[in-house]
């Protein structure tokens, strides 16, 4: 993470020139997966996971097949009770640059870290970006929803710094280092400038 931070710090200390932002569009279009230029199917790493993960990822596979989407899945069985994510899974994700993952169960107690967080750290997926908005013509409980949430994805609550203060009272520390904070702010600024 530090390698990106130093370039960010350099950019922040450099004198800025004026720039203009393009106007923000008033409506959004629903984006579908584009076909590759030559129509060749693309590999997607698939981790069904635990709980309802296999049901959800199976449904996605069926939808992709019904759409004749140009993808094929490289399926790996990874479960939350494993000690670590197998290296061939990490290599597949890095090679394919796309992964469909069901949730991995996190063991409770015993100082076991979550494989979900381990995967995010291994792949340097430090930011989670969630975009929520209403689709035209689809009635919803709340109207005119248009919000983007960007949150830190590997530290803070995910640091696992917890201890029992007194029996029955657990304290959790939310710690984030300066470099991760700069990465998160950079992600926010880039998103704002481009959208």
């Amino acid at each position: 993470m530090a390698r990106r931070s130093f370039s960010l710090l350099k950019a922040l200390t450099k004198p800025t020139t004026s720039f203009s932002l393009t106007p923000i569009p008033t409506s959004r279009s629903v984006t579908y997966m584009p076909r590759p230029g030559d129509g060749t199917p693309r590999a997607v790493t698939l981790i069904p996971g635990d709980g309802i993960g296999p049901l959800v990822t199976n449904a996605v596979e069926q939808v992709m097949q019904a759409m004749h989407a140009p993808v094929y899945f490289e399926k790996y069985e990874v479960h939350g009770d494993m000690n670590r994510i197998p290296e061939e899974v990490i290599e597949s994700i890095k090679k394919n640059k796309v992964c469909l993952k069901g949730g991995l169960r996190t063991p409770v107690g015993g100082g076991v870290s979550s494989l979900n967080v381990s995967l995010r750290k291994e792949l340097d997926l430090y930011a989670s970006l969630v975009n929520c908005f209403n689709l035209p013509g689809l009635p919803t409980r709340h109207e005119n929803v248009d919000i983007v949430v960007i949150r830190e994805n590997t530290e803070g609550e995910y640091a696992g710094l917890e201890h029992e203060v007194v029996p029955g009272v657990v304290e959790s520390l939310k710690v984030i280092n300066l470099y991760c904070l700069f990465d998160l702010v950079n992600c926010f600024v880039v998103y704002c400038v481009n959208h």
Side-chain angles (χ1 to χ4, degrees):
M1 288 189 227
R3 62 190 173 280
R4 288 191 314 269
S5 301
F6 289 118
S7 61
L8 173 63
L9 289 172
K10 242 167 116 176
L12 289 174
T13 57
K14 196 184 333 180
T16 59
T17 57
S18 64
F19 60 91
S20 65
L21 299 175
T22 57
I24 298 173
T26 56
S27 66
R28 295 187 177 157
S29 64
V30 178
T31 307
Y32 296 96
M33 191 170 100
R35 292 186 179 271
D38 59 359
T40 304
R42 294 185 58 180
V44 174
T45 304
L46 175 64
I47 303 171
D50 301 313
I52 66 165
L55 296 172
V56 174
T57 55
N58 184 46
V60 171
E61 283 184 279
Q62 291 176 19
V63 168
M64 292 295 180
Q65 187 176 15
M67 290 174 49
H68 301 288
V71 297
Y72 63 93
F73 295 97
E74 294 178 359
K75 189 180 278 191
Y76 293 92
E77 291 298 325
V78 178
H79 300 283
D81 56 0
M82 298 172 82
N83 292 334
R84 61 181 190 81
I85 298 198
E87 192 58 39
E88 63 267 14
V89 176
I90 301 292
E91 289 171 12
S92 174
I93 295 170
K94 288 179 178 179
K95 175 184 63 112
N96 297 336
K97 299 185 180 7
V98 180
C99 178
L100 174 62
K101 182 186 85 59
L104 299 173
R105 183 177 60 84
T106 300
V108 178
V112 179
S113 63
S114 164
L115 286 184
N116 295 300
V117 177
S118 298
L119 185 62
R120 290 183 207 138
K121 287 182 176 182
E122 176 72 30
L123 298 172
D124 203 18
L125 304 173
Y126 59 89
S128 171
L129 189 144
V130 179
N131 186 356
C132 301
F133 58 94
N134 294 102
L135 294 173
L138 183 66
T140 59
R141 173 187 262 180
H142 304 286
E143 297 297 321
N144 301 320
V145 174
D146 188 5
I147 186 170
V148 174
V149 177
I150 300 174
R151 67 178 177 83
E152 210 287 325
N153 216 21
T154 57
E155 292 192 334
E157 293 88 358
Y158 302 109
L161 300 173
E162 301 168 346
H163 65 277
E164 193 169 22
V165 181
V166 295
V169 178
V170 177
E171 182 179 48
S172 177
L173 303 175
K174 293 173 64 171
V175 178
I176 182 171
N177 71 52
L178 186 61
Y179 300 112
C180 290
L181 178 62
F182 279 133
D183 285 342
L184 193 63
V185 170
N186 183 48
C187 177
F188 171 75
V189 170
V190 168
Y191 182 84
C192 289
V193 168
N194 292 323
H195 295 89

